[in-house]
Amino acid sequence: MSVAARIAGPDLHETSVAPRSRSRMLALVIALAFAAVGGQLVRLAWQNEDASTIRVSMMSSPANTLARPDIVDRNGRLLATDVQMPSLYADPLLIQDADEAAERLVRLFPQIDVRELRQSLADKSRRFVWVRRGLSPAMAQRVHNLGIPGLLFVDEIRRTYPAGRLGGHILGRVDIDNRGTGGIERYIDEIGASEAAVGARLSARAPVRLSLDLGVMHALDEELAGAMVRYEAAGAAGLVMDVLTGEVVASVSRPGVDPAVYEDALDPSRIDRIAAGTYELGSIMKLVTVAMALEMGRSLDSMVDTAEPLKAGRFTIEDLHPLGRPMSVSEVFIHSSNVGAGQLALSAGAATQKAFLQKLGLWSALKTEVSSGPAPQKPQQIGRIEQITLSFGHGLATTPLQFAAASAALMNGGTRVTPTFMALDGEAPVVRGERVVSARTSALLREVMRRNVTDPAGTGRRADVPGFEVGGKTGTAEMAAKGGYRKKSILASFIGTFPSSEPRYVTLILLFEPKGQDVTGGEITAGRNAAPTTARIIERIAPLLGVPAKSL
């Protein structure tokens, strides 16, 4: 080896060591940097663990939200369903400017209290704050476009009602956690048909099928709305019931309620007048009084002393259009004689009258799937005046649903039916029901109901619909007020049945505080408003229900 080579060797070795040292230092620096980042991520993960747990528990805990089955009408048409909708929440720790965030959010959601929202967003000790639940996709996009860090979304189950206010009283409503608070929605929870929601998963259970027919509901609702305008009524209600099964095919109370609008449920004018309100129904109660007389052995031709008004203490009971002579039982019904009805009740006696009302289910509260129902308002004792007034529909306030059920029993051959809002399959349960009147009494009642519509003097003649054999009875009752009755405020009602020769349905129509019009000759009696409204309704719904018109 040359001297030059020996001298060059040590210099080359020293120059190769320096780059390796620098590489090790650089790798160490990079490793430390990654370690720092990893440590920070671990720290943040630990810091967020409790908040994540809170969010998970609030958003998907079985204790919070329920998944509900669909609700459909008897023909499978959708009335209520669950959908997935985004809900907006905030993580205050990630909100950079609580004041600005609150102000910008309130521009989108004016209903939110800006001060309360600002305080919540500024509270860095909180990791979860609901801002707005159940947003439409369009609104969620508007929130997203704000670009505010710390605003986040989660999918939730929300209840929707495609028919809006149609059927709203029956369906009820749910709360913010999709739990039923009234009507069929509450009933679904009571029978265990709903289930704890896991995330936003929809229920896979079979739909709950109601007895309602959406087409009949629509026709009934539209005709009642028209009647309110035509007669300037403050409210209206009506129902259609199957006399053999007790199924409520349609039930409408106007003004209605939208199950999705919380404020509707708080408005007292939107009460369910069919199942939740009690009223003195007036002369339609004479159907019950005549039924009681027939059960005691009278015939439609039996004579009743109606020549003079009835006296009861300081009270005098008179007819609106007195004939001044005795009437037959049939005439008492057709001319709607208060004196005649009072005489029939007095001849039966107080004990018999009370027992008959009890047997028909008019003396106690009625429970259905929709509600427990209010208790009837009834006299504490039945003396002479109470016997008389009960006979023509004053002194006893019941729900229209109760009276319709009693009428169904009187029309179907005499067997009690239990009103239901659930669709029934198979044989009609009427064959298993309690007999409340004889088949003879039921047949005679159907006959006199039909006479009241076909007789030129009948109060129900304007309810006739050619081809459908309508029978019925009018009722015009002064509405109760504190300390007495309001003379100019009446409840006009009509109880109808069709076809009267072999009834399948009963209808009950009520108009609250109608006004006299040119079309009614200035009168406000039920024969001039509730009866023709019934005719319009039956003409529309009979074909929908498969009831054929008979050729004349």
Side-chain angles (χ1 to χ4, degrees):
M1 182 179 295
S2 67
V3 174
R6 288 197 298 270
I7 294 173
D11 291 337
L12 291 171
H13 176 73
E14 289 173 2
T15 57
S16 66
V17 171
R20 285 199 296 270
S21 298
R22 285 194 297 271
S23 296
R24 292 192 187 100
M25 288 297 294
L26 182 59
L28 180 61
V29 169
I30 293 173
L32 290 174
F34 273 105
V37 172
Q40 181 71 356
L41 291 174
V42 171
R43 184 185 68 80
L44 290 174
W46 279 101
Q47 184 177 2
N48 283 313
E49 182 179 9
D50 290 342
S52 299
T53 302
I54 292 173
R55 286 195 289 270
V56 170
S57 66
M58 291 187 71
M59 294 184 286
S60 63
S61 170
N64 283 339
T65 305
L66 293 182
R68 314 183 66 79
D70 290 346
I71 302 176
V72 298
D73 82 340
R74 66 187 307 110
N75 299 309
R77 289 171 287 199
L78 192 63
L79 296 172
T81 189
D82 281 351
V83 296
Q84 293 177 337
M85 296 181 70
S87 287
L88 174 64
Y89 71 95
D91 184 343
L93 193 63
L94 303 180
I95 297 291
Q96 297 174 1
D97 188 329
D99 291 338
E100 180 187 6
E103 289 176 5
R104 295 177 70 185
L105 285 169
V106 168
R107 292 193 195 108
L108 294 181
F109 308 110
Q111 304 89 345
I112 295 180
D113 186 320
V114 65
R115 177 182 297 180
E116 183 178 335
L117 179 61
R118 185 184 295 115
Q119 290 175 347
S120 297
L121 297 181
D123 185 357
K124 301 301 182 181
S125 65
R126 302 177 65 180
R127 302 305 310 276
F128 190 101
V129 173
W130 281 121
V131 178
R132 196 73 173 176
R133 301 175 73 175
L135 302 181
S136 67
M139 182 58 75
Q141 184 62 47
R142 293 180 66 184
V143 174
H144 176 77
N145 293 342
L146 294 177
I148 301 175
L151 293 182
L152 305 165
F153 295 95
V154 61
D155 281 342
E156 284 196 294
I157 293 174
R158 314 306 299 168
R159 199 67 161 168
T160 62
Y161 301 90
R165 286 195 168 95
L166 196 60
H169 286 110
I170 299 161
L171 295 173
R173 62 184 304 272
V174 298
D175 63 15
I176 194 66
D177 291 315
N178 224 31
R179 296 174 179 275
T181 61
I184 293 296
E185 294 286 23
R186 180 169 55 191
Y187 176 72
I188 286 174
D189 291 352
E190 290 173 352
I191 63 175
S194 55
E195 57 190 328
V198 179
R201 189 180 69 190
L202 303 179
S203 174
R205 298 194 177 190
V208 174
R209 192 162 67 97
L210 303 186
S211 59
L212 302 178
D213 183 310
L214 198 57
V216 178
M217 289 278 289
H218 175 73
L220 177 59
D221 181 65
E222 196 168 78
E223 290 299 334
L224 289 178
M228 286 181 65
V229 173
R230 189 176 299 110
Y231 307 114
E232 295 186 64
L239 67 81
V240 181
M241 179 184 290
D242 188 317
V243 302
L244 300 179
T245 66
E247 291 171 288
V248 179
V249 179
S251 178
V252 171
S253 179
R254 294 187 64 90
V257 297
D258 187 333
V261 179
Y262 177 72
E263 291 75 15
D264 279 6
L266 303 178
D267 186 347
S269 72
R270 297 182 182 276
I271 183 177
D272 181 1
R273 301 169 192 262
I274 292 295
T278 58
Y279 309 98
E280 296 181 33
L281 296 174
S283 289
I284 59 175
M285 190 65 74
K286 287 170 185 165
L287 175 63
V288 173
T289 302
V290 170
M292 178 179 64
L294 295 174
E295 279 293 279
M296 295 183 65
R298 287 181 179 262
S299 70
L300 292 178
D301 295 326
S302 297
M303 299 306 294
V304 183
D305 183 9
T306 57
E308 299 292 335
L310 274 176
K311 299 286 187 179
R314 61 187 179 88
F315 300 101
T316 299
I317 310 301
E318 298 178 298
D319 288 336
L320 182 62
H321 301 292
L323 297 184
R325 61 169 176 78
M327 296 185 191
S328 66
V329 171
S330 177
E331 288 178 315
V332 167
F333 189 88
I334 291 172
H335 291 276
S336 200
S337 169
N338 290 344
V339 174
Q343 291 283 29
L344 292 175
L346 290 172
S347 64
T352 298
Q353 187 178 28
K354 180 179 178 180
F356 195 68
L357 292 169
Q358 288 174 325
K359 182 187 290 189
L360 288 175
L362 298 173
W363 208 251
S364 57
L366 172 65
K367 183 176 182 179
T368 67
E369 301 89 354
V370 171
S371 69
S372 295
Q377 299 174 52
K378 54 196 178 186
Q380 295 182 346
Q381 60 181 13
I382 302 180
R384 179 179 172 85
I385 186 60
E386 288 80 17
Q387 279 188 265
I388 296 171
T389 57
L390 285 172
S391 74
F392 55 79
H394 283 77
L396 173 64
T398 68
T399 66
L401 181 61
Q402 284 180 276
F403 187 81
S407 301
L410 296 177
M411 294 295 103
N412 68 19
T415 306
R416 178 199 285 272
V417 295
T418 301
T420 180
F421 290 90
M422 307 302 294
L424 300 178
D425 297 311
E427 292 296 322
V430 68
V431 296
R432 301 189 300 274
E434 172 194 0
R435 178 161 291 281
V436 292
V437 297
S438 67
R440 166 189 174 272
T441 293
S442 180
L444 292 175
L445 290 173
R446 296 195 296 269
E447 178 184 333
V448 77
M449 288 271 277
R450 179 60 178 158
R451 278 193 210 173
N452 192 40
V453 172
T454 58
D455 192 309
T459 60
R461 61 188 179 277
R462 292 181 179 85
D464 198 20
V465 182
F468 290 107
E469 290 188 348
V470 178
K473 178 71 187 79
T474 54
T476 305
E478 292 178 355
M479 297 190 69
K482 189 174 182 179
Y485 293 89
R486 292 180 285 168
K487 295 288 185 183
K488 299 286 183 158
S489 297
I490 63 103
L491 171 58
S493 59
F494 191 87
I495 183 71
T497 186
F498 69 98
S500 59
S501 58
E502 192 176 353
R504 184 60 197 274
Y505 298 99
V506 293
T507 62
L508 178 55
I509 304 304
L510 305 105
L511 298 176
F512 293 79
E513 302 182 74
K515 307 294 188 299
Q517 306 292 323
D518 290 341
V519 70
T520 67
E523 295 183 18
I524 58 175
T525 55
R528 301 303 298 263
N529 46 50
T533 300
T534 298
R536 291 187 183 93
I537 291 168
I538 292 177
E539 188 173 26
R540 287 187 63 175
I541 69 173
L544 298 176
L545 294 170
V547 177
K550 295 184 177 181
S551 58
L552 299 178

